Amino acid sequence: MFKKVLVAEDMDSINHAVAFVLKDLKIAQVDHAQYCDRAWLLSKKAIQEGSPYDLLICDLSFKPDYREEKLTSGKDLISALKFEDPQLKVIVNSIEDHPQTVRELWASGNIDAYVCKDRSGLKELKQAILNLNEGANYNSPSIEKILNQNNVLTLNDFEINIVKYLANGYTQDEIQKELKNKNIRPSSKSAIEKRLKELRDEFRANTNPHLISIMKDLQLI
């Protein structure tokens, strides 16, 4: 069984519930962080001391407050910690179940389980930990259902980025530059123009602002 677990969660009620599950599993050390930067610092310190965490249980959304955080989302935190320690096992424990989000996280190779915060969430979290301890991945049944839907629309990095940049007021020349800097291909202006036209057609959008509005409503960007 895992010996050292880090829980990144900003809600006290969820932290208490997760702590109960971990206590029931007799996990020796559990540390909690309500901010992503705090979780990163705890992990970094543990690695430097030669006693890294075995498991990260992480929410995806963290409510902003007066603190200025470098890492503002669970996705950013997971990516940063996996870069520091590729052996770290990761369980996403979140209410977020949008297909784009779920598929992106699994495609990243950075997670080992995805648990939905719902009525069966604690039971499923416990099962996820047991599965990971045995070397198997885990998805909540609702997440498994999402992954098995073939008709769910998802977009690739190129498509997501060009629309995000467009939404932030970038010109197509500036988008091209940003894509090249991120090594996202294709990055030519003609490819950007062509894909934007195709996306407008696919989403039945009359203009680029209309396309942005539709994709935001669908939580695709």
Side-chain angles (χ1 to χ4, degrees), residues 172-180 187-189 192:
Q172 290 190 14
D173 287 334
E174 290 170 333
I175 293 173
Q176 180 183 23
K177 183 178 179 181
E178 290 295 328
L179 293 178
K180 285 182 177 178
S187 60
S188 69
K189 191 173 178 180
I192 294 169

Side-chain angles (χ1 to χ4, degrees), residues 97-145:
D97 62 355
H98 193 277
Q100 183 81 21
T101 301
V102 175
R103 291 186 173 182
E104 280 182 2
L105 281 164
W106 275 112
S108 73
N110 286 336
I111 71 171
D112 303 280
Y114 202 120
V115 176
C116 256
K117 289 180 182 176
D118 55 23
R119 292 177 182 175
S120 303
L122 292 179
K123 178 182 177 182
E124 292 168 3
L125 177 61
K126 183 175 182 179
Q127 188 58 54
I129 295 169
L130 293 172
N131 275 34
L132 266 59
N133 187 63
E134 296 296 324
N137 293 340
Y138 180 84
N139 279 311
S140 290
S142 58
I143 296 298
E144 199 65 41
K145 183 178 179 180

Side-chain angles (χ1 to χ4, degrees), residues 58-77:
C58 186
D59 196 358
L60 295 180
S61 60
F62 290 77
K63 189 175 181 179
D65 60 13
Y66 64 92
R67 291 171 179 252
E68 186 175 338
E69 299 284 311
K70 292 182 180 179
L71 300 172
T72 58
S73 71
K75 187 176 179 181
D76 291 340
L77 174 63

